[in-house]
Amino acid sequence: MKIIYKGICCLFFLFLTIHVNAQEKPNIILIISDDAGYADFGFQGSKEFKTPNLDKLATQGIVFEQAYVTAAVCGPSRAGILTGRYQQRFGFEENNVPGIMENYNLPDDEMGLPLEEKTMANYMKSLGYRTALFGKWHQGNADQFHPTKRGFETFYGFRGGARSYYEYNEAHPTKKTEDFLEKGFKNYGETDEYLTYTFANAANDFIKKDDEAPFFIILSFNAVHSPMDALKEDLGQFPKLSGKRKKLAAMTLAMDKACGSVFETIESLGIEENTLIVFTNDNGGPTDSNASSNKPLSGTKANHLEGGIRVPFIMKYKGVLSEGERYTYPISTLDLLPTFYQLGKGDLNQLSNIDGVNLIPYLKGELNERPHQSLFWKKENRAAIRDGDWKLLRFPDRPAELYYLPNDQSEQNNLASKYPQKVQKLYKRLFEWELTLARPRWQLKRKYEGKAMERMDKYRLMEKEN
């Protein structure tokens, strides 16, 4: 009897230990909007758009004033987020858009996140997390790149980079398989619900599952990427706006309400103090195609001006991180993976070749220096480096530009001719970084190569006229 009693006690304490350890690991939710403008949120200063739920999140957490993505377009940016590595290190330099690529003997169906790269989901799954992705994938359309084969146990979304917010049917068809909604692997089926709400509701259902293991969710909205599909009731909330701007405001409001439903679910379950929430965007807003605003930043999606690469960013962890504060040093979405991994009780020494850093010591005041002295961007011959508060932009067809961002975040005062030695130094740093990169796996066709440059020139002309 004593042996049986001891055995029961051991099992009880083992169960208790496992339960306590599971509770020590926070649930993690990463929410990514798509193509949102830097200034198109209340917490970013917008007086036109309505984002009450995200504004509330901002008061409950930390707003990052200088958060950067690793690319000014969707696919490469998300590759950097998922791996914690500069995506150029494994050749994911261009957007993976089938049909418009000219590549190195690489067919369209092989354009995706390389299989040898470990993802955020792989890492979190190894720590005992339940992993899920809801929404946009855009890391390869072929089966070998599928989210369920890249560490996500649960997937409900679409493989491509953009799609309609309404269901595809005979009256509203599509020929692209990557556009279709998919639950798990190849279980295709559309919904009659507005897509932004579909993804949030799927996340809510996952959160509500009775499971001892902590969860890791990426809620990857295609909102507010084109097409400009807005709900009638949301359009009515913006009588003073018109055209694309009005539609964008309505789409942003719907996304905010979807985020609010997730926040409400977390609060209702009583897990707010054990859940980390991050909200950010994948690149700057396309000011031409969807009328977004990146003010006061200069630039737009697809170029390396601040408006193309600096994004809204909120982090909330109730009881651990400060509330209602702003973090002023530059950070990168590369930092998400090591931050999540450390919070999940992972050993950071086991992360190899990671370019991001764990942000928690910086946010708690344990480390007072900058998380990054230098940050880099590159696409074809265009590149940029931020070193401290200086930023150099390199172009293939014009002299480099140099800016001192604390006094000129709109990048209007080019100091290259005034500080030639600084230009030379940053050029050298940029070149040294480029020597560590892999060869691009695919390239845009020639007719698309100048698109970002044309956007930049158009934007500069508009600024001069205004």
Side-chain angles (χ1 to χ4, degrees):
M1 287 294 293
K2 289 183 178 181
I3 295 175
I4 295 173
Y5 175 76
K6 288 182 179 179
I8 292 173
C9 288
C10 288
L11 286 173
F12 173 77
F13 284 113
L14 178 62
F15 170 80
L16 186 62
T17 301
I18 293 172
H19 179 75
V20 170
N21 288 340
Q23 296 304 305
E24 287 178 352
K25 297 180 179 181
N27 303 304
I28 297 172
I29 303 176
L30 170 59
I31 304 174
I32 307 174
S33 60
D34 194 354
D35 277 11
Y38 183 77
D40 288 338
F41 299 90
F43 70 89
Q44 292 288 93
S46 178
K47 302 300 182 183
E48 295 179 317
F49 285 29
K50 300 177 181 179
T51 54
N53 294 293
L54 289 169
D55 296 348
K56 181 181 178 181
L57 184 73
T59 66
Q60 297 171 333
I62 298 174
V63 175
F64 293 72
E65 295 185 354
Q66 300 189 79
Y68 289 96
V69 288
T70 57
V73 290
C74 307
S77 172
R78 291 164 186 266
I81 290 172
L82 285 167
T83 62
R85 306 181 65 207
Y86 283 110
Q87 63 280 356
Q88 297 93 341
R89 294 199 187 281
F90 44 86
F92 201 142
E93 188 167 314
E94 298 279 4
N95 225 351
N96 53 318
V97 183
I100 66 167
M101 296 294 180
E102 174 178 76
N103 51 63
Y104 304 114
N105 299 315
L106 197 67
D108 283 350
D109 64 359
E110 291 189 27
M111 290 189 298
L113 185 64
L115 301 181
E116 62 271 19
E117 296 299 320
K118 290 185 69 173
T119 73
M120 194 180 277
N122 291 133
Y123 284 110
M124 301 312 291
K125 186 178 178 181
S126 72
L127 298 176
Y129 277 77
R130 296 183 290 130
T131 57
L133 171 69
F134 302 107
K136 172 175 172 174
W137 175 233
H138 204 199
Q139 293 299 291
N141 298 336
D143 289 350
Q144 67 263 31
F145 300 118
H146 196 270
T148 58
K149 299 184 180 182
R150 309 309 301 271
F152 292 98
E153 298 166 313
T154 299
F155 171 64
Y156 184 37
F158 63 100
R159 301 190 193 190
R163 60 150 284 161
S164 172
Y165 291 74
Y166 302 107
E167 68 174 314
Y168 290 117
N169 51 39
E170 291 184 2
H172 184 205
T174 181
K175 295 181 179 179
K176 298 179 180 178
T177 305
E178 65 268 22
D179 289 351
F180 288 117
L181 273 184
E182 184 179 10
K183 187 174 289 187
F185 182 65
K186 288 192 174 182
N187 296 314
Y188 295 103
E190 292 294 291
T191 175
D192 59 2
E193 190 177 35
Y194 187 66
L195 198 60
T196 301
Y197 294 138
T198 295
F199 295 145
N201 289 337
N204 287 327
D205 290 342
F206 186 82
I207 292 169
K208 292 174 183 176
K209 287 182 179 179
D210 187 15
D211 198 306
E212 291 295 330
F215 58 76
F216 168 70
I217 296 173
I218 296 183
L219 179 51
S220 176
F221 290 114
N222 56 315
V224 292
H225 195 292
S226 59
M228 306 299 287
D229 293 335
L231 292 168
K232 185 176 181 180
E233 59 265 31
D234 292 331
L235 287 168
Q237 295 293 313
F238 303 95
K240 295 183 180 180
L241 299 179
S242 61
K244 288 182 178 180
R245 189 73 178 152
K246 184 170 187 171
K247 290 181 179 179
L248 182 64
M251 294 168 70
T252 304
L253 176 58
M255 181 179 66
D256 181 80
K257 287 189 285 189
C259 290
S261 74
V262 175
F263 305 154
E264 193 174 303
T265 296
I266 293 167
E267 292 174 10
S268 67
L269 293 175
I271 57 173
E272 189 180 7
E273 293 192 359
N274 198 41
T275 301
L276 172 75
I277 303 173
V278 175
F279 173 82
T280 189
N281 189 52
D282 63 349
N283 49 249
T287 55
D288 52 353
S289 64
N290 81 345
S292 57
S293 172
N294 296 319
K295 293 180 180 180
L297 307 179
S298 181
T300 182
K301 175 182 178 177
N303 67 48
H304 292 146
L305 292 168
E306 291 291 283
I309 56 177
R310 195 192 291 194
V311 293
F313 195 107
I314 305 170
M315 183 178 290
K316 173 194 172 184
Y317 191 1
K318 188 176 179 64
V320 176
L321 299 179
S322 300
E323 296 186 12
E325 290 197 359
R326 303 184 78 85
Y327 189 76
T328 58
Y329 279 143
I331 61 112
S332 170
T333 49
L334 294 169
D335 302 329
L336 290 170
L337 191 155
T339 301
F340 296 165
Y341 192 71
Q342 188 276 329
L343 288 173
K345 307 303 180 185
D347 181 358
L348 292 179
N349 293 322
Q350 294 178 352
L351 297 183
S352 59
N353 302 319
I354 295 295
D355 292 304
V357 301
N358 171 25
L359 291 174
I360 300 302
Y362 298 92
L363 302 180
K364 294 175 72 173
E366 296 167 2
L367 294 174
N368 295 317
E369 64 267 27
R370 293 170 179 262
H372 299 276
Q373 175 61 29
S374 299
L375 293 169
F376 303 90
W377 297 268
K378 179 184 180 296
K379 185 179 181 183
E380 300 158 357
N381 294 323
R382 295 178 292 115
I385 175 176
R386 173 166 179 162
D387 185 66
D389 288 324
W390 291 90
K391 182 181 175 186
L392 176 84
L393 292 113
R394 187 188 71 196
F395 309 99
D397 60 348
R398 69 186 74 177
E401 298 177 4
L402 179 69
Y403 298 99
Y404 185 65
L405 294 177
N407 299 336
D408 187 21
Q409 64 177 343
S410 299
E411 294 167 294
Q412 299 297 303
N413 186 20
N414 181 8
L415 300 173
S417 60
K418 187 175 181 180
Y419 298 101
Q421 291 183 331
K422 176 67 73 173
V423 172
Q424 184 180 26
K425 177 183 177 182
L426 294 183
Y427 245 111
K428 183 180 178 182
R429 290 284 310 277
L430 183 58
F431 180 69
E432 289 171 346
W433 174 72
E434 288 179 303
L435 290 176
T436 69
L437 308 179
R439 184 178 181 179
R441 290 173 178 257
W442 53 83
Q443 285 184 309
L444 288 171
K445 284 183 178 177
R446 209 170 277 281
K447 67 178 179 178
Y448 289 91
E449 286 178 353
K451 189 173 182 181
M453 296 301 297
E454 291 171 6
R455 276 183 171 177
M456 182 179 284
D457 291 338
K458 180 181 177 182
Y459 192 92
R460 290 292 203 197
L461 181 61
M462 288 170 58
E463 285 184 328
K464 289 180 181 179
E465 291 175 347
N466 293 332

